Amino acid sequence: MTTQRPGSAATSTWRRWAAPFALGLVAVFATATIVRAALPAADTVVAEVRAPSGESPVPQIAAPAPTASPEPFVSPIEIVLPPPPPPPPPVAKTPKRGSSSQRSQAATSAGVTTTAAWCDGGYGATASASSVGGLLDAANAERARWGLSTLAWNGALASDAQAWSQAQAANNDLSHGMAPSPGGQNVAYRYSSGGQSQSGAATWAHSAWMASPSHCKNILNTRWNSMGAGAASVDGGNTWFLTVNFQ
């Protein structure tokens, strides 16, 4: 007769099921790990593609959700300034106040003894021109005060001066043209809203040139021996352009 101690049946049963139970737990943990590894990342969108009827849907991994685009690069604004305009032609100075004799006395008091000092001092004209042709007489009167040679009228220089005066009038623009070489050129324009005659424009031009150092030195240049002048008007005579060529 076999005698069984208390608890031996339970112990036998536990031993019989212990191994299968342990294997089951291992299988459960293994399955959970595999499922977790198969899941997509948190920032990945999973979409399903419908399969034909009767088949299981096939999962596809879609592209990651788009992120905000970076701010576009904006080139700095570059301000390009236009080049400065060219300097205007020399503008005649206003003659010193007083009569020609008073200005001559002022020059003498200032110790002026050369044509360059006279011109640089802006003492102005001592003679007057009453016409375009009279510009020659006025220039020679200025030169005579300093003992300089008399200028002769040159028809070729006068023709060129007239042509250039007309070109300035056509463009309504004061500028220098092709001066004789060697030689010099004076140009001027005068505007008067009330109109003016050619003689009035010539009178003003000679006075203005003698008050401007560079123009004055052209008139009193010891190298010149001839001269020609021309004039042209626009807008009914309100504006006159005058040119004098020296050689």
Side-chain angles (χ1 to χ4, degrees):
M1 179 175 182
T2 302
T3 303
Q4 201 171 41
R5 290 177 296 175
S8 60
T11 300
S12 177
T13 303
W14 178 82
R15 289 176 178 174
R16 197 168 47 245
W17 290 99
F21 181 77
L23 290 175
L25 287 178
V26 172
V28 168
F29 282 115
T31 302
T33 302
I34 294 172
V35 171
R36 179 175 297 179
L39 289 177
D43 59 350
T44 303
V45 180
V46 177
E48 284 188 349
V49 177
R50 294 294 180 181
S53 178
E55 297 182 11
S56 300
V58 180
Q60 277 196 340
I61 299 177
T67 57
S69 300
E71 290 295 328
F73 174 76
V74 180
S75 299
I77 298 175
E78 182 180 1
I79 300 176
V80 180
L81 297 177
V91 178
K93 294 181 179 179
T94 302
K96 292 184 179 294
R97 295 182 180 276
S99 64
S100 60
S101 60
Q102 290 174 329
R103 286 183 275 111
S104 295
Q105 291 175 1
T108 301
S109 300
V112 174
T113 57
T114 64
T115 57
W118 176 274
C119 293
D120 288 337
Y123 290 98
T126 59
S128 178
S130 58
S131 64
V132 172
L135 290 171
L136 174 65
D137 297 331
N140 281 330
E142 303 289 356
R143 293 171 67 89
R145 290 186 62 251
W146 297 94
L148 304 181
S149 62
T150 300
L151 299 177
W153 185 260
N154 186 312
L157 293 179
S159 178
D160 291 342
Q162 181 63 34
W164 184 244
S165 295
Q166 291 173 343
Q168 292 177 92
N171 296 323
N172 198 21
D173 178 50
L174 177 68
S175 59
H176 279 285
M178 184 67 70
S181 179
Q185 183 181 79
N186 283 353
V187 295
Y189 85 97
R190 191 190 188 204
Y191 169 80
S192 174
S193 60
Q196 59 186 320
S197 64
Q198 184 188 89
S199 62
T203 300
W204 175 87
H206 176 75
S207 178
W209 284 330
M210 286 300 297
S212 171
S214 58
H215 297 88
C216 173
K217 290 174 182 177
N218 243 353
I219 293 173
L220 301 180
N221 194 316
T222 58
R223 292 178 297 171
W224 311 149
N225 53 44
S226 63
M227 169 186 144
S233 65
V234 294
D235 53 33
N238 289 356
T239 303
W240 280 88
F241 290 86
L242 301 99
T243 306
V244 173
N245 288 331
F246 301 95
Q247 195 169 41

